[in-house]
Amino acid sequence: NFAGGAVTPTTRTGIRPANGFTFEIGADWDHRGWMASIGAGFAREPAHASDANSALDDRTLPINRYHLVGSMTRWFVSDRRARFGLAAAPVLDHWTTNGLQARTVLGFEAQVRMAFPVGRVELENRASLGWEGSPFSATDLGSNASPRTLLKGSLSLALRYRP
């Protein structure tokens, strides 16, 4: 889920990427209750515009997000049945949209992670909250709109191979 992106003050119309799926691949290194991770991902979401009375997903204006994240997790509970931890993750997102200037923005995520081993794999559930710069530049929006910090939340499901 996203909030923010850009807003037109006179009409209070906001524009942001619509909610969607991100596909990500990564690698982890575990050591003594800590886990360092790096991941890269891609998402294509339509533009979402809304005001107090209506909302619209413009499927003719896809917004592409190329995502790079590094995180450090501290596992607070860890045994053979489950692991529970908190993570901090700096994020670098590159946004492209047809007809608009591409933008690369920095951000940050805080994550809660729960992992359950199942044989040679581990099933992980993750909840994230974060923020980053707007995927839109002021020159792309015109004089009636202004960029806003992009707030984001996500729920993730991951499979991790354990050799």
Side-chain angles (χ1 to χ4, degrees):
N1 287 337
F2 294 102
V7 67
T8 305
T10 54
T11 63
R12 303 298 299 159
T13 300
I15 186 168
R16 62 172 174 78
N19 301 328
F21 291 97
T22 299
F23 298 95
E24 189 173 309
I25 189 165
D28 303 323
W29 297 272
D30 267 326
H31 185 68
R32 296 186 183 197
W34 291 89
M35 183 174 70
S37 304
I38 188 167
F42 173 79
R44 173 173 282 172
E45 296 123 351
H48 176 85
S50 63
D51 62 18
N53 299 316
S54 60
L56 170 72
D57 283 350
D58 184 354
R59 305 231 179 255
T60 65
L61 184 63
I63 300 173
N64 298 317
R65 178 172 64 134
Y66 303 90
H67 181 71
L68 184 63
V69 61
S71 67
M72 183 60 75
T73 303
R74 175 65 175 146
W75 296 110
F76 291 102
V77 175
S78 184
D79 65 22
R80 293 187 331 253
R81 295 180 311 247
R83 300 194 298 171
F84 174 81
L86 299 175
V91 175
L92 182 67
D93 281 345
H94 181 74
W95 298 88
T96 62
T97 305
N98 293 338
L100 300 180
Q101 182 179 2
R103 299 246 318 148
T104 301
V105 295
L106 291 172
F108 178 80
E109 289 182 0
Q111 303 171 348
V112 176
R113 295 177 167 199
M114 293 182 301
F116 307 95
V118 181
R120 305 279 294 167
V121 297
E122 188 173 63
L123 176 65
E124 182 179 289
N125 297 306
R126 184 184 318 161
S128 302
L129 291 174
W131 64 94
E132 65 185 44
S134 175
F136 308 107
S137 71
T139 56
D140 287 333
L141 297 171
S143 61
N144 292 341
S146 60
R148 294 283 190 253
T149 299
L150 188 66
L151 304 174
K152 54 187 180 174
S154 67
L155 298 174
S156 305
L157 181 63
L159 281 177
R160 182 179 295 115
Y161 175 71
R162 294 283 177 198

